[in-house]
């Protein structure tokens, strides 16, 4: 246990730096960004950002992709996103800061991505609706998509077959930090979010993880899923 405690302390210290915390939070949308873009997010010089990024890559929190001459950084695995979402949930349960709520705060609470699945009021509403209709069963640490749920998503053109060498769970609960209730994660959660983007039910905003629910999306989530959003 002493070894685990030491590794936990080292990981916590790594994430505790404000600049690195901003970088990790920005990459929670499953996107990839350059070092210069992340330097702006972190509010540090490019040289300092490179040092932060090298430490995060070394600790396997981030991975690097090469696209031509560019090096792009993204979260290493969905498990890293799950850890960060859990930390955010714990963070907001403590004493609230005196900073007044902003428009960005409201947008994040309304609808956002949590790595590659839906979160916020939208994500929780869709999850609740799927559970109420018998499409989904969620327990504290596990989830199951029912036969009816598989058929429902299949009727919308969602392909839930795993990719080669993919070991990710089909569905699992992810505790939403703003709603403090679970939303759907795993391959099924990612597939629902991908469907919503492809059909333009939601659109990414220029910055951050919040997404805009379109008029067509609002109708689709309410009519097809039965979500109270």
């Amino acid at each position: 246990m002493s070894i685990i405690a030491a590794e936990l302390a080292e990981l916590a210290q790594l994430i505790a730096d404000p600049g690195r915390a901003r970088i990790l939070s920005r990459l929670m949308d499953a996107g990839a960004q350059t070092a210069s873009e992340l330097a702006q997010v972190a509010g540090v010089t490019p040289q300092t950002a490179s040092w932060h990024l090298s430490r995060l890559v070394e600790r396997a929190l981030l991975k690097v992709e090469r696209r031509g001459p560019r090096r792009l950084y993204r979260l290493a695995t969905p498990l890293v996103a799950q850890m960060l979402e859990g930390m955010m949930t714990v963070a907001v349960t403590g004493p609230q800061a005196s900073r007044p709520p902003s428009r960005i705060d409201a947008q994040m609470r309304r609808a956002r991505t949590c790595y590659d699945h839906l979160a916020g009021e939208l994500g929780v509403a869709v999850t609740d609706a799927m559970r109420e209709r018998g499409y989904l069963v969620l327990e504290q640490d596990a989830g199951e998509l029912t036969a009816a749920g598989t058929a429902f998503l299949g009727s919308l053109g969602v392909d839930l077959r795993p990719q080669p060498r993919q070991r990710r769970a089909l569905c699992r609960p992810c505790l939403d930090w703003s709603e403090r209730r679970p939303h759907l994660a795993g391959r099924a959660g990612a597939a629902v979010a991908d469907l919503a983007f492809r059909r333009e039910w939601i659109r990414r905003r220029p910055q951050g993880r919040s997404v805009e629910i379109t008029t067509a999306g609002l109708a689709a989530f309410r009519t097809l899923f039965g979500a109270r959003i």
Side-chain angles (χ1 to χ4, degrees), residues 26-32 74-75 113-116 204 209:
R26 180 64 185 90
L27 293 174
M28 279 282 287
D29 65 354
R74 66 168 69 245
L75 294 187
T113 53
C114 173
Y115 193 61
D116 58 1
R204 296 192 186 279
R209 287 193 287 139

Side-chain angles (χ1 to χ4, degrees), residues 118-136:
L118 300 176
E121 294 174 3
L122 174 61
V124 171
V126 168
T127 301
D128 286 347
M130 292 183 67
R131 296 172 76 176
E132 290 168 5
R133 291 189 170 189
Y135 296 158
L136 178 67

